[in-house]
Structure formats: C-alpha cells, structure tokens
Amino acid sequence: MRQFNIRLSQLLVNSADDVKFTVHDVTSACKQQKTGKAVGADNVAMEALIFGTAKLYVHISLLFSLCVRHGHVPDSLTKSIMVPLVKNKAGDLSDINNYRAIAISPALSKLFESLLDKYIRSYNTHDDCQFGFKSGLSTSTCTNVLKQTVSYFTDRGSHVFACFVDFSKAFDRVNYWTLFNKLLDDNVNCKIVRILAAWYSTQTCSVK
C-alpha cells in the first residue's frame, strides 16, 4: 500500500489530465441502467435517476467530477447491503459455505461505476481460452465449447478426461493494491485509479 501511494503521488504531481463528466455522459449512463432493481442503503431507486431531468444530471455531473478531482467518495456511496442467499435449502443452514452473498449498492454508486468504466481499459494480452471478464463471452459460451469438444472426441470413439479446479472466493483473497498498480501499469488515468483506491479502502457493508 505504501509503495502504491508513493507511486500514485508522483504520477499525480506530473499529471495535467483532468477527468470531467458532462451532462451528456450522465444522461447516457442513466439510460443504460436497468429498472426494477433492489433499493440500496440510501433508499433511492434507480428509476429516480433514469427518469430524472436535465437539472438533476447537471448536479450529478458536477458531483462525480469533483469526486475524481479530489479523490474522495461520499460516505453514502460506500455503503452497501449484503443479502445472504441459501445455496442448498436441504443442506446445513448453519454452514456459512452454504450461502452466497449479493451486495446491493446505492443507485448513485452504480451510476458512478458505469461512468468510470469507460476510463478503465487494459491493453495486456490474454489467452484465447479465457472466457471470464471479456466482452461478448460468458460461462455459457465456455460450457458450449466444452460440450462440443467432448462430443468431437466421443463421436470418434475416443475417451475424454477432464480436470476441474474450483478457486473459491478468489477475488476476496486478491491484494487490491497490486491490482491498482496493474491499472497504473496499463496507463489508466491516475486520478481514476486514486478514486477507485479511495472507494475500496472506505467501503462498508451491512448484512441483512
């Protein structure tokens, strides 16, 4: 963390780029949001933003632009509600591994995330066999490729041997500061990386 902060400070001193969100940016981001979603800790429904007026979007664009400029996220955007869902109702309900969690974030934070997303692009090469975290691909695509591969060999009288590795809760064990350094390596705007670091280091969660 300390090395990241030193590196980030040096980049901020030499950075002249200023990230600003326009009313058009906010309007477009609001149109991309989905209705009918659960309300977060702020009790603001996404519909309030989707069907908002230009005056509302002016204030939101100013708020988000100032957040990035000063590297600060309001407390109301860092609070989420964790809803535990049972995986196997016939299993042991006292076993923590029998639950998966869904985090419900405030509507404004979801909107902020969608605006920040266009500034985060990686130019690192990746394996063609990777299906996760790639546009236009999903686990369904991966499953279909597996089925086709198995069918190809079994139809020709061959045996197929497969090995599955389950990396349980891998993201929870990742060092965030290493990820932020990777973003800096990919030349992601240092002010965007700073706001993400501030967001991750101050977020709180309540379990419903």
Side-chain angles (χ1 to χ4, degrees):
M1 177 179 177
R2 184 172 181 273
Q3 293 178 344
F4 167 78
N5 287 332
I6 293 174
R7 181 185 180 189
L8 181 62
S9 299
Q10 293 172 343
L11 290 173
L12 288 170
V13 170
N14 300 322
S15 175
D17 297 333
D18 199 10
V19 178
K20 293 182 179 179
F21 301 108
T22 65
V23 176
H24 175 73
D25 293 334
V26 176
T27 304
S28 299
C30 285
K31 290 181 179 180
Q32 295 173 2
Q33 305 305 311
K34 298 180 180 179
T35 60
K37 294 294 184 179
V39 178
D42 59 353
N43 289 323
V44 176
M46 184 60 74
E47 286 80 356
L49 305 181
I50 295 175
F51 303 111
T53 63
K55 290 183 178 180
L56 172 63
Y57 298 155
V58 168
H59 290 286
I60 293 177
S61 63
L62 290 173
L63 170 64
F64 290 163
S65 296
L66 289 172
C67 286
V68 175
R69 177 183 297 180
H70 298 288
H72 174 75
V73 182
D75 292 340
S76 59
L77 298 188
T78 64
K79 297 178 180 179
S80 60
I81 300 175
M82 191 74 72
V83 181
L85 300 178
V86 180
K87 293 181 180 179
N88 181 12
K89 294 183 179 180
D92 185 4
L93 298 182
S94 63
D95 183 9
I96 191 173
N97 296 314
N98 193 26
Y99 291 84
R100 64 184 180 92
I102 295 179
I104 303 176
S105 303
L108 271 176
S109 70
K110 295 178 182 177
L111 183 62
F112 196 16
E113 289 173 7
S114 62
L115 287 168
L116 292 174
D117 180 62
K118 69 177 184 179
Y119 289 93
I120 305 173
R121 290 292 178 268
S122 174
Y123 300 100
N124 287 337
T125 56
H126 49 73
D127 195 293
D128 291 335
C129 295
Q130 177 183 337
F131 290 88
F133 308 103
K134 289 173 66 176
S135 178
L137 297 178
S138 65
T139 53
S140 299
T141 310
C142 181
T143 304
N144 186 45
V145 171
L146 175 62
K147 288 181 177 179
Q148 289 182 0
T149 303
V150 172
S151 296
Y152 176 85
F153 288 101
T154 55
D155 291 344
R156 289 162 175 77
S158 297
H159 297 288
V160 176
F161 300 93
C163 177
F164 296 90
V165 181
D166 182 14
F167 295 100
S168 177
K169 301 178 182 178
F171 186 74
D172 295 340
R173 291 170 169 77
V174 172
N175 187 314
Y176 294 152
W177 306 106
T178 300
L179 291 181
F180 297 145
N181 270 307
K182 292 295 183 181
L183 291 178
L184 294 177
D185 291 339
D186 277 355
N187 295 319
V188 175
N189 188 295
C190 57
K191 292 184 179 179
I192 297 295
V193 178
R194 179 179 64 175
I195 195 68
L196 291 175
W199 203 335
Y200 269 79
S201 58
T202 58
Q203 61 184 346
T204 59
C205 181
S206 302
V207 179
K208 184 175 181 181

